Amino acid sequence: MTEDADDAVETFYTEERWQNWISRVEEEDLDPENEESARLLLNLQDDAAIAVAKILSAYDDGRIDEDRALEEIETVREIVLAEVDLEDEEEEMLIDGVQTSLVPVFYAAEEYVVGGAVEGDLDEYVRAAADAEAEEDLDAALGYVVQAGTRVIDGDRLDIALVEDIEYGLVSEWVNGLDSLQSAIQDPEVVEED
């Protein structure tokens, strides 16, 4: 019983953590062309992906069960995808871009917990997603990216160069999120907030 009690206190992500990042964004004079601004946004994205990777790791190690894993993923998703109200419209758009990139990370994690990794080639899923986006079938595009995400969680390597072949749009943003997830799974070190 004490193991469950210890387990219950493990916190993967908090509203406060997300708000700290948002506060940093507000304090900075963000310019996406500026390397430091870009790094701050990437750290914000990576930090959320690391939380998801830690949940998946706890699930794979048997420290939490399927229900708890799904609950934790949903908690992080609700925190991260909640509408952010910033005074600066450009900063709001940049945060929105980070949120967009993270959408398939949450769905892929849930998919993985419920059904494991899908069969198939990761690159083919990404290409199928790009084709679906070109045909304006965004639901299918997201579905393919999510399937690619389960392959990433399972250990397949995502070649980020693939994104260079894809026209910029939702799929390229989503694949960028999977890249953060891949980094988080390989090296789940906490990104320092300060």
Side-chain angles (χ1 to χ4, degrees), residues 15-98:
E15 178 80 44
E16 182 186 5
R17 187 169 185 85
W18 175 251
Q19 283 310 321
N20 287 345
W21 283 108
I22 299 302
S23 297
R24 282 208 39 210
V25 167
E26 286 181 297
E27 288 161 18
E28 301 281 330
D29 188 15
L30 281 191
D31 171 6
E33 302 301 309
N34 172 308
E35 196 178 320
E36 268 185 48
S37 292
R39 190 176 302 117
L40 173 61
L41 290 166
L42 186 61
N43 285 346
L44 165 81
Q45 180 171 308
D46 286 352
D47 192 51
I50 288 167
V52 172
K54 286 183 172 181
I55 295 165
L56 292 169
S57 173
Y59 171 70
D60 281 342
D61 295 347
R63 294 195 319 268
I64 61 175
D65 64 12
E66 180 178 318
D67 289 343
R68 169 89 191 275
L70 292 171
E71 207 174 281
E72 293 292 346
I73 294 164
E74 186 179 347
T75 297
V76 182
R77 182 177 66 222
E78 284 175 357
I79 292 169
V80 171
L81 298 185
E83 197 172 321
V84 175
D85 189 20
L86 299 177
E87 284 180 24
D88 185 314
E89 264 183 51
E90 186 162 307
E91 286 179 354
E92 210 167 279
M93 277 175 44
L94 293 170
I95 295 293
D96 186 60
V98 168

Coordinates of all heavy atoms in Angstrom, one line a residue, residues 15-98:
E15 N 0.1 23.5 -13.5 CA -0.4 24.7 -14.1 C 0.7 25.8 -13.8 O 1.0 26.6 -14.6 CB -1.7 25.1 -13.4 CG -2.3 26.4 -13.8 CD -3.1 26.3 -15.1 OE1 -3.8 25.3 -15.3 OE2 -2.9 27.2 -15.9
E16 N 1.2 25.8 -12.6 CA 2.2 26.8 -12.2 C 3.4 26.7 -13.1 O 4.0 27.8 -13.5 CB 2.6 26.5 -10.7 CG 3.6 27.5 -10.2 CD 4.2 27.2 -8.8 OE1 3.8 26.1 -8.3 OE2 4.9 28.0 -8.3
R17 N 3.9 25.5 -13.5 CA 5.0 25.4 -14.3 C 4.7 26.0 -15.7 O 5.6 26.8 -16.2 CB 5.3 23.9 -14.5 CG 6.6 23.6 -15.2 CD 7.0 22.2 -15.1 NE 8.3 22.0 -15.8 CZ 9.4 22.2 -15.1 NH1 9.5 22.5 -13.9 NH2 10.6 22.0 -15.8
W18 N 3.6 25.7 -16.3 CA 3.2 26.3 -17.5 C 3.1 27.9 -17.4 O 3.6 28.6 -18.3 CB 1.9 25.7 -18.0 CG 1.3 26.4 -19.3 CD1 0.2 27.2 -19.4 CD2 1.8 26.2 -20.6 NE1 0.0 27.5 -20.7 CE2 1.0 26.9 -21.5 CE3 2.9 25.5 -21.2 CZ2 1.2 27.0 -22.8 CZ3 3.1 25.5 -22.6 CH2 2.2 26.3 -23.4
Q19 N 2.5 28.3 -16.4 CA 2.4 29.8 -16.2 C 3.8 30.5 -16.0 O 3.9 31.6 -16.5 CB 1.5 30.1 -14.9 CG 0.0 29.9 -15.2 CD -0.5 30.6 -16.5 OE1 -0.1 31.7 -16.8 NE2 -1.4 30.0 -17.2
N20 N 4.7 29.8 -15.4 CA 6.1 30.3 -15.3 C 6.7 30.6 -16.7 O 7.3 31.6 -17.0 CB 7.0 29.4 -14.5 CG 6.7 29.4 -13.0 OD1 6.0 30.3 -12.5 ND2 7.1 28.4 -12.3
W21 N 6.4 29.6 -17.6 CA 6.9 29.8 -19.0 C 6.2 30.9 -19.6 O 6.8 31.7 -20.3 CB 6.7 28.5 -19.8 CG 7.6 27.4 -19.5 CD1 7.4 26.2 -18.8 CD2 9.0 27.3 -19.8 NE1 8.5 25.5 -18.7 CE2 9.5 26.1 -19.3 CE3 9.8 28.2 -20.6 CZ2 10.8 25.7 -19.5 CZ3 11.2 27.8 -20.8 CH2 11.7 26.6 -20.3
I22 N 4.9 31.0 -19.5 CA 4.1 32.1 -20.1 C 4.6 33.4 -19.6 O 4.8 34.4 -20.3 CB 2.6 31.9 -19.9 CG1 2.1 30.6 -20.5 CG2 1.8 33.1 -20.4 CD1 2.4 30.4 -22.0
S23 N 4.9 33.5 -18.3 CA 5.4 34.8 -17.7 C 6.7 35.1 -18.3 O 7.0 36.3 -18.6 CB 5.5 34.6 -16.2 OG 4.3 34.4 -15.6
R24 N 7.6 34.1 -18.6 CA 8.9 34.4 -19.2 C 8.7 34.9 -20.6 O 9.4 35.8 -21.0 CB 9.7 33.1 -19.2 CG 10.3 32.8 -17.9 CD 11.6 32.1 -17.9 NE 12.6 32.4 -19.0 CZ 13.4 31.6 -19.5 NH1 13.4 30.3 -19.1 NH2 14.3 31.9 -20.4
V25 N 7.7 34.3 -21.3 CA 7.4 34.8 -22.7 C 7.0 36.3 -22.6 O 7.4 37.1 -23.4 CB 6.4 33.9 -23.4 CG1 5.8 34.6 -24.6 CG2 6.9 32.5 -23.6
E26 N 6.1 36.6 -21.7 CA 5.6 38.0 -21.5 C 6.8 38.9 -21.2 O 6.8 40.1 -21.7 CB 4.5 38.0 -20.4 CG 3.2 37.5 -20.9 CD 2.2 37.6 -19.8 OE1 2.3 36.9 -18.8 OE2 1.2 38.2 -20.1
E27 N 7.7 38.5 -20.4 CA 8.8 39.4 -20.0 C 9.8 39.6 -21.1 O 10.4 40.7 -21.2 CB 9.6 38.7 -18.8 CG 8.8 38.7 -17.5 CD 9.4 37.7 -16.5 OE1 10.5 37.3 -16.6 OE2 8.6 37.4 -15.5
E28 N 10.0 38.6 -21.9 CA 10.9 38.7 -23.0 C 10.3 39.6 -24.2 O 9.1 39.6 -24.3 CB 11.3 37.4 -23.6 CG 11.9 36.4 -22.6 CD 13.3 36.6 -22.4 OE1 14.0 37.1 -23.3 OE2 13.8 36.3 -21.3
D29 N 11.2 40.2 -24.9 CA 10.7 40.9 -26.1 C 10.9 39.9 -27.3 O 12.0 39.8 -27.9 CB 11.4 42.2 -26.4 CG 10.8 43.0 -27.5 OD1 9.7 42.7 -27.9 OD2 11.5 43.9 -28.0
L30 N 9.9 39.0 -27.5 CA 10.1 37.9 -28.4 C 10.2 38.3 -29.8 O 9.4 39.1 -30.3 CB 9.0 36.9 -28.2 CG 9.0 35.9 -27.0 CD1 8.0 34.8 -27.2 CD2 10.4 35.3 -26.9
D31 N 11.2 37.7 -30.5 CA 11.4 37.9 -31.9 C 11.7 36.5 -32.4 O 12.8 36.0 -32.1 CB 12.5 38.9 -32.2 CG 12.9 39.0 -33.6 OD1 12.2 38.3 -34.5 OD2 13.8 39.7 -33.9
P32 N 10.9 35.9 -33.2 CA 11.1 34.5 -33.7 C 12.4 34.4 -34.5 O 13.0 33.3 -34.6 CB 9.9 34.2 -34.5 CG 9.1 35.4 -34.7 CD 9.6 36.4 -33.7
E33 N 12.9 35.5 -35.0 CA 14.1 35.5 -35.8 C 15.3 35.5 -34.9 O 16.4 35.1 -35.3 CB 14.2 36.7 -36.7 CG 13.1 36.8 -37.7 CD 12.9 35.6 -38.6 OE1 14.0 35.2 -39.2 OE2 11.8 35.1 -38.7
N34 N 15.1 35.9 -33.6 CA 16.2 35.9 -32.6 C 16.4 34.6 -32.0 O 15.5 33.9 -31.6 CB 15.8 37.0 -31.6 CG 16.7 37.0 -30.4 OD1 17.0 36.0 -29.8 ND2 17.2 38.2 -30.0
E35 N 17.7 34.1 -31.9 CA 18.0 32.8 -31.5 C 17.5 32.5 -30.0 O 17.0 31.5 -29.7 CB 19.5 32.5 -31.6 CG 19.8 31.1 -31.5 CD 21.3 30.8 -31.7 OE1 22.0 31.5 -32.5 OE2 21.8 30.0 -30.9
E36 N 17.7 33.5 -29.2 CA 17.3 33.4 -27.8 C 15.7 33.2 -27.6 O 15.3 32.4 -26.9 CB 17.7 34.5 -26.9 CG 19.1 34.2 -26.3 CD 19.5 35.3 -25.3 OE1 18.7 35.7 -24.5 OE2 20.7 35.7 -25.5
S37 N 15.0 34.0 -28.4 CA 13.5 33.9 -28.4 C 13.1 32.5 -28.9 O 12.3 31.9 -28.3 CB 12.9 35.0 -29.3 OG 13.1 36.2 -28.8
A38 N 13.8 32.1 -30.0 CA 13.4 30.8 -30.6 C 13.7 29.7 -29.6 O 13.0 28.7 -29.4 CB 14.2 30.5 -31.9
R39 N 14.9 29.8 -28.8 CA 15.2 28.8 -27.8 C 14.2 28.8 -26.7 O 13.9 27.7 -26.2 CB 16.6 29.1 -27.3 CG 17.2 27.9 -26.5 CD 18.6 28.0 -26.0 NE 19.5 28.2 -27.1 CZ 20.3 29.3 -27.2 NH1 20.2 30.3 -26.4 NH2 21.1 29.4 -28.2
L40 N 13.8 30.0 -26.3 CA 12.8 30.0 -25.2 C 11.5 29.3 -25.6 O 11.0 28.5 -24.8 CB 12.4 31.5 -24.8 CG 11.3 31.7 -23.8 CD1 11.6 31.0 -22.5 CD2 11.0 33.2 -23.6
L41 N 11.0 29.5 -26.8 CA 9.8 28.8 -27.3 C 10.0 27.3 -27.4 O 9.2 26.5 -27.1 CB 9.4 29.4 -28.6 CG 8.8 30.8 -28.5 CD1 8.7 31.5 -29.9 CD2 7.5 30.8 -27.8
L42 N 11.2 26.9 -27.9 CA 11.5 25.5 -28.0 C 11.6 24.9 -26.6 O 11.1 23.7 -26.4 CB 12.8 25.3 -28.8 CG 13.2 23.8 -29.1 CD1 12.1 23.2 -30.0 CD2 14.5 23.8 -29.8
N43 N 12.2 25.6 -25.7 CA 12.3 25.0 -24.3 C 10.9 24.8 -23.7 O 10.7 23.9 -23.0 CB 13.2 25.9 -23.4 CG 14.6 25.8 -23.7 OD1 15.1 24.9 -24.3 ND2 15.4 26.7 -23.2
L44 N 10.0 25.8 -24.0 CA 8.7 25.7 -23.5 C 8.0 24.5 -24.1 O 7.4 23.7 -23.4 CB 7.9 27.0 -24.0 CG 6.4 27.0 -23.9 CD1 5.9 27.3 -22.5 CD2 5.9 28.1 -24.8
Q45 N 8.2 24.3 -25.4 CA 7.6 23.1 -26.0 C 8.3 21.8 -25.5 O 7.6 20.8 -25.2 CB 7.9 23.2 -27.5 CG 7.3 22.1 -28.4 CD 7.4 22.5 -29.9 OE1 7.0 23.5 -30.3 NE2 8.0 21.6 -30.7
D46 N 9.6 21.8 -25.4 CA 10.3 20.6 -25.0 C 9.9 20.2 -23.5 O 9.8 19.1 -23.2 CB 11.8 20.8 -25.0 CG 12.3 20.8 -26.5 OD1 11.6 20.4 -27.4 OD2 13.5 21.1 -26.6
D47 N 9.7 21.2 -22.7 CA 9.3 21.0 -21.3 C 8.0 20.2 -21.2 O 7.9 19.3 -20.4 CB 9.2 22.3 -20.6 CG 9.2 22.1 -19.0 OD1 10.0 21.4 -18.5 OD2 8.3 22.7 -18.4
A48 N 7.0 20.6 -22.0 CA 5.8 19.9 -22.0 C 6.0 18.5 -22.6 O 5.4 17.5 -22.1 CB 4.7 20.7 -22.8
A49 N 6.8 18.4 -23.6 CA 7.0 17.0 -24.2 C 7.8 16.1 -23.2 O 7.5 14.9 -23.1 CB 7.9 17.2 -25.5
I50 N 8.7 16.7 -22.4 CA 9.4 15.9 -21.3 C 8.4 15.4 -20.3 O 8.5 14.3 -19.9 CB 10.5 16.8 -20.7 CG1 11.6 17.0 -21.6 CG2 10.9 16.2 -19.4 CD1 12.6 18.1 -21.2
A51 N 7.4 16.2 -19.9 CA 6.4 15.8 -19.0 C 5.6 14.5 -19.6 O 5.4 13.6 -18.9 CB 5.4 16.9 -18.7
V52 N 5.3 14.6 -20.8 CA 4.6 13.5 -21.5 C 5.5 12.2 -21.5 O 5.1 11.1 -21.2 CB 4.1 13.8 -22.9 CG1 3.6 12.6 -23.7 CG2 3.1 14.9 -22.9
A53 N 6.8 12.5 -21.8 CA 7.8 11.3 -21.9 C 7.9 10.7 -20.5 O 8.0 9.5 -20.4 CB 9.1 11.8 -22.4
K54 N 7.9 11.5 -19.5 CA 8.0 11.0 -18.1 C 6.7 10.1 -17.7 O 6.9 9.1 -17.0 CB 8.2 12.1 -17.1 CG 9.6 12.6 -17.2 CD 9.9 13.7 -16.1 CE 11.4 14.0 -16.2 NZ 11.7 15.0 -15.2
I55 N 5.6 10.6 -18.2 CA 4.4 9.8 -17.9 C 4.5 8.5 -18.6 O 4.2 7.4 -18.1 CB 3.1 10.6 -18.4 CG1 2.9 11.9 -17.6 CG2 1.9 9.7 -18.4 CD1 1.9 12.9 -18.2
L56 N 4.9 8.5 -19.9 CA 5.0 7.3 -20.7 C 6.0 6.3 -20.1 O 5.8 5.1 -20.0 CB 5.4 7.6 -22.1 CG 4.3 8.3 -22.9 CD1 4.9 8.8 -24.3 CD2 3.1 7.4 -23.2
S57 N 7.1 6.9 -19.6 CA 8.2 6.1 -18.9 C 7.6 5.4 -17.6 O 7.8 4.2 -17.4 CB 9.4 7.0 -18.6 OG 10.3 6.3 -17.8
A58 N 6.9 6.2 -16.8 CA 6.2 5.7 -15.6 C 5.3 4.6 -16.0 O 5.2 3.6 -15.3 CB 5.5 6.8 -14.8
Y59 N 4.5 4.8 -17.1 CA 3.6 3.7 -17.5 C 4.3 2.5 -18.0 O 4.0 1.4 -17.6 CB 2.7 4.3 -18.7 CG 1.9 3.3 -19.3 CD1 0.8 2.7 -18.6 CD2 2.1 2.8 -20.6 CE1 0.0 1.7 -19.2 CE2 1.4 1.8 -21.2 CZ 0.3 1.3 -20.5 OH -0.5 0.3 -21.1
D60 N 5.3 2.6 -18.8 CA 6.1 1.5 -19.3 C 6.8 0.7 -18.2 O 6.9 -0.5 -18.3 CB 7.1 1.9 -20.4 CG 6.5 2.2 -21.7 OD1 5.4 1.7 -22.0 OD2 7.2 2.9 -22.6
D61 N 7.2 1.5 -17.2 CA 7.9 0.8 -16.0 C 6.9 0.2 -15.0 O 7.3 -0.4 -14.1 CB 8.8 1.9 -15.3 CG 9.9 2.4 -16.1 OD1 10.2 1.8 -17.2 OD2 10.5 3.4 -15.7
G62 N 5.6 0.4 -15.3 CA 4.6 -0.1 -14.4 C 4.4 0.7 -13.1 O 3.8 0.2 -12.1
R63 N 5.0 1.9 -13.0 CA 4.8 2.7 -11.8 C 3.4 3.3 -11.8 O 2.9 3.6 -10.7 CB 5.8 3.8 -11.8 CG 7.3 3.3 -11.6 CD 8.2 4.4 -11.2 NE 8.1 5.7 -11.9 CZ 8.7 6.1 -13.0 NH1 9.5 5.2 -13.6 NH2 8.5 7.3 -13.5
I64 N 2.8 3.5 -13.0 CA 1.4 3.9 -13.0 C 0.6 3.0 -14.0 O 1.2 2.5 -14.9 CB 1.3 5.4 -13.4 CG1 1.9 5.7 -14.8 CG2 1.9 6.4 -12.4 CD1 1.6 7.1 -15.3
D65 N -0.7 2.9 -13.8 CA -1.4 2.1 -14.7 C -2.0 2.9 -15.8 O -1.8 4.1 -15.9 CB -2.6 1.3 -13.9 CG -3.6 2.3 -13.3 OD1 -3.6 3.5 -13.7 OD2 -4.4 1.8 -12.5
E66 N -2.7 2.2 -16.7 CA -3.2 2.8 -17.9 C -4.1 4.0 -17.6 O -4.0 5.1 -18.2 CB -4.0 1.8 -18.8 CG -4.6 2.4 -20.0 CD -5.3 1.4 -20.9 OE1 -4.8 0.2 -21.0 OE2 -6.4 1.7 -21.4
D67 N -5.1 3.8 -16.7 CA -6.0 4.9 -16.3 C -5.2 6.2 -15.8 O -5.5 7.3 -16.2 CB -7.0 4.5 -15.2 CG -8.0 3.5 -15.8 OD1 -8.1 3.4 -17.0 OD2 -8.7 2.8 -15.0
R68 N -4.3 5.9 -14.9 CA -3.5 7.0 -14.4 C -2.7 7.7 -15.5 O -2.6 9.0 -15.5 CB -2.6 6.5 -13.2 CG -1.6 7.5 -12.7 CD -2.1 8.4 -11.6 NE -1.1 9.5 -11.3 CZ -0.1 9.4 -10.6 NH1 0.2 8.2 -9.9 NH2 0.7 10.4 -10.4
A69 N -2.1 6.9 -16.4 CA -1.3 7.5 -17.5 C -2.2 8.4 -18.3 O -1.8 9.5 -18.7 CB -0.7 6.4 -18.3
L70 N -3.4 7.9 -18.7 CA -4.3 8.7 -19.5 C -4.7 10.0 -18.8 O -4.8 11.0 -19.4 CB -5.5 7.8 -19.9 CG -5.2 6.7 -20.9 CD1 -6.4 5.8 -21.1 CD2 -4.7 7.2 -22.2
E71 N -5.0 9.8 -17.5 CA -5.4 11.0 -16.7 C -4.3 12.0 -16.7 O -4.6 13.2 -16.8 CB -5.6 10.5 -15.3 CG -6.6 11.2 -14.4 CD -6.8 10.5 -13.1 OE1 -7.6 9.5 -13.1 OE2 -6.2 10.9 -12.1
E72 N -3.1 11.6 -16.5 CA -1.9 12.5 -16.4 C -1.7 13.2 -17.8 O -1.4 14.4 -17.8 CB -0.6 11.8 -16.0 CG -0.7 11.3 -14.6 CD -0.6 12.4 -13.5 OE1 -0.4 13.5 -13.8 OE2 -0.9 12.1 -12.3
I73 N -1.8 12.4 -18.8 CA -1.6 13.0 -20.2 C -2.7 14.1 -20.4 O -2.4 15.2 -20.9 CB -1.7 11.9 -21.3 CG1 -0.5 11.0 -21.2 CG2 -1.7 12.6 -22.7 CD1 -0.6 9.7 -21.9
E74 N -3.9 13.8 -20.0 CA -5.0 14.7 -20.2 C -4.8 16.0 -19.3 O -5.1 17.1 -19.8 CB -6.4 14.1 -19.8 CG -7.6 15.0 -20.0 CD -8.9 14.3 -19.6 OE1 -8.9 13.1 -19.4 OE2 -9.9 15.1 -19.6
T75 N -4.3 15.8 -18.1 CA -4.0 17.0 -17.3 C -3.0 17.9 -18.0 O -3.2 19.1 -18.1 CB -3.4 16.5 -15.9 OG1 -4.4 15.7 -15.3 CG2 -3.0 17.7 -15.1
V76 N -1.9 17.3 -18.5 CA -0.9 18.2 -19.2 C -1.5 18.8 -20.4 O -1.3 20.0 -20.6 CB 0.4 17.3 -19.6 CG1 1.4 18.2 -20.3 CG2 1.0 16.6 -18.4
R77 N -2.3 18.0 -21.2 CA -2.9 18.6 -22.4 C -3.8 19.8 -22.0 O -3.8 20.8 -22.7 CB -3.7 17.5 -23.1 CG -4.4 18.1 -24.4 CD -5.1 17.0 -25.2 NE -6.3 16.6 -24.4 CZ -6.6 15.3 -24.4 NH1 -6.0 14.4 -25.0 NH2 -7.7 15.0 -23.7
E78 N -4.6 19.6 -21.0 CA -5.6 20.7 -20.6 C -4.8 22.0 -20.2 O -5.2 23.1 -20.5 CB -6.5 20.2 -19.5 CG -7.6 19.3 -20.0 CD -8.5 18.7 -18.9 OE1 -8.2 19.0 -17.7 OE2 -9.4 18.0 -19.2
I79 N -3.7 21.8 -19.5 CA -2.9 22.9 -19.0 C -2.3 23.6 -20.2 O -2.4 24.8 -20.4 CB -1.8 22.5 -18.0 CG1 -2.4 22.0 -16.7 CG2 -0.8 23.6 -17.8 CD1 -1.4 21.3 -15.8
V80 N -1.6 22.8 -21.1 CA -0.8 23.4 -22.2 C -1.7 23.9 -23.3 O -1.4 24.9 -23.9 CB 0.1 22.3 -22.7 CG1 0.8 22.8 -24.0 CG2 1.2 22.0 -21.6
L81 N -2.9 23.3 -23.5 CA -3.7 23.7 -24.7 C -4.8 24.7 -24.3 O -5.5 25.2 -25.2 CB -4.3 22.5 -25.4 CG -3.3 21.6 -26.0 CD1 -4.0 20.5 -26.8 CD2 -2.3 22.3 -26.9
A82 N -4.8 25.1 -23.0 CA -5.8 26.1 -22.6 C -5.4 27.4 -23.3 O -4.3 27.7 -23.6 CB -5.7 26.3 -21.1
E83 N -6.5 28.2 -23.6 CA -6.3 29.5 -24.3 C -5.4 30.4 -23.4 O -5.6 30.6 -22.2 CB -7.6 30.2 -24.6 CG -7.5 31.2 -25.6 CD -8.9 31.7 -26.0 OE1 -9.8 30.9 -26.1 OE2 -9.0 33.0 -26.2
V84 N -4.4 31.0 -24.1 CA -3.5 31.9 -23.4 C -3.9 33.3 -23.8 O -4.0 33.6 -25.0 CB -2.0 31.6 -23.8 CG1 -1.1 32.6 -23.2 CG2 -1.6 30.2 -23.4
D85 N -4.0 34.2 -22.9 CA -4.4 35.5 -23.1 C -3.3 36.5 -22.8 O -3.0 36.8 -21.7 CB -5.7 35.9 -22.3 CG -6.3 37.2 -22.7 OD1 -6.0 37.7 -23.8 OD2 -7.0 37.8 -21.9
L86 N -2.6 36.9 -23.9 CA -1.4 37.8 -23.7 C -1.8 39.1 -24.4 O -2.5 39.2 -25.3 CB -0.2 37.2 -24.4 CG 0.3 35.8 -23.9 CD1 1.5 35.4 -24.7 CD2 0.7 35.9 -22.4
E87 N -1.1 40.2 -23.8 CA -1.4 41.5 -24.4 C -0.8 41.6 -25.8 O -1.4 42.3 -26.6 CB -0.8 42.6 -23.4 CG -1.7 42.8 -22.2 CD -1.1 43.8 -21.3 OE1 -0.3 44.7 -21.7 OE2 -1.5 43.7 -20.1
D88 N 0.4 41.0 -26.0 CA 1.1 41.1 -27.3 C 0.5 40.0 -28.2 O 0.7 38.8 -27.9 CB 2.6 40.9 -27.0 CG 3.4 41.1 -28.3 OD1 3.0 40.6 -29.3 OD2 4.4 41.8 -28.2
E89 N -0.1 40.5 -29.3 CA -0.7 39.5 -30.3 C 0.3 38.6 -30.9 O 0.1 37.4 -31.1 CB -1.4 40.3 -31.4 CG -2.9 40.4 -31.1 CD -3.6 41.1 -32.2 OE1 -3.5 40.6 -33.4 OE2 -4.4 42.0 -31.9
E90 N 1.5 39.1 -31.2 CA 2.6 38.3 -31.8 C 3.0 37.2 -30.8 O 3.2 36.0 -31.2 CB 3.7 39.1 -32.3 CG 4.7 38.3 -33.0 CD 5.7 39.1 -33.9 OE1 5.2 39.9 -34.6 OE2 6.9 38.9 -33.7
E91 N 3.2 37.5 -29.6 CA 3.6 36.5 -28.6 C 2.5 35.5 -28.5 O 2.8 34.3 -28.3 CB 3.8 37.2 -27.2 CG 5.1 38.0 -27.1 CD 5.3 38.6 -25.8 OE1 4.4 38.6 -24.9 OE2 6.4 39.2 -25.6
E92 N 1.2 35.9 -28.5 CA 0.1 35.0 -28.4 C 0.2 34.0 -29.6 O -0.1 32.8 -29.5 CB -1.2 35.8 -28.5 CG -2.3 35.0 -27.7 CD -3.5 36.0 -27.5 OE1 -3.5 36.8 -26.5 OE2 -4.5 35.9 -28.2
M93 N 0.5 34.5 -30.8 CA 0.6 33.7 -32.0 C 1.7 32.7 -31.9 O 1.6 31.5 -32.3 CB 0.8 34.5 -33.3 CG -0.5 35.1 -33.8 SD -0.2 36.2 -35.3 CE 1.0 35.3 -36.2
L94 N 2.8 33.1 -31.3 CA 4.0 32.2 -31.1 C 3.6 31.1 -30.1 O 4.0 29.9 -30.3 CB 5.2 33.0 -30.6 CG 5.8 34.0 -31.6 CD1 6.8 34.9 -31.0 CD2 6.4 33.3 -32.8
I95 N 2.9 31.4 -29.0 CA 2.5 30.4 -28.1 C 1.5 29.5 -28.7 O 1.6 28.2 -28.6 CB 1.8 31.0 -26.8 CG1 2.8 31.9 -26.0 CG2 1.2 30.0 -25.9 CD1 3.9 31.1 -25.4
D96 N 0.6 30.0 -29.6 CA -0.3 29.2 -30.3 C 0.4 28.2 -31.2 O 0.0 27.1 -31.3 CB -1.2 30.1 -31.1 CG -2.3 29.3 -31.8 OD1 -3.1 28.7 -31.1 OD2 -2.4 29.3 -33.1
G97 N 1.5 28.6 -31.8 CA 2.3 27.7 -32.6 C 2.9 26.6 -31.8 O 2.9 25.4 -32.2
V98 N 3.4 26.9 -30.6 CA 3.9 25.9 -29.7 C 2.7 24.9 -29.3 O 2.9 23.7 -29.4 CB 4.5 26.5 -28.4 CG1 4.7 25.4 -27.3 CG2 5.7 27.3 -28.7

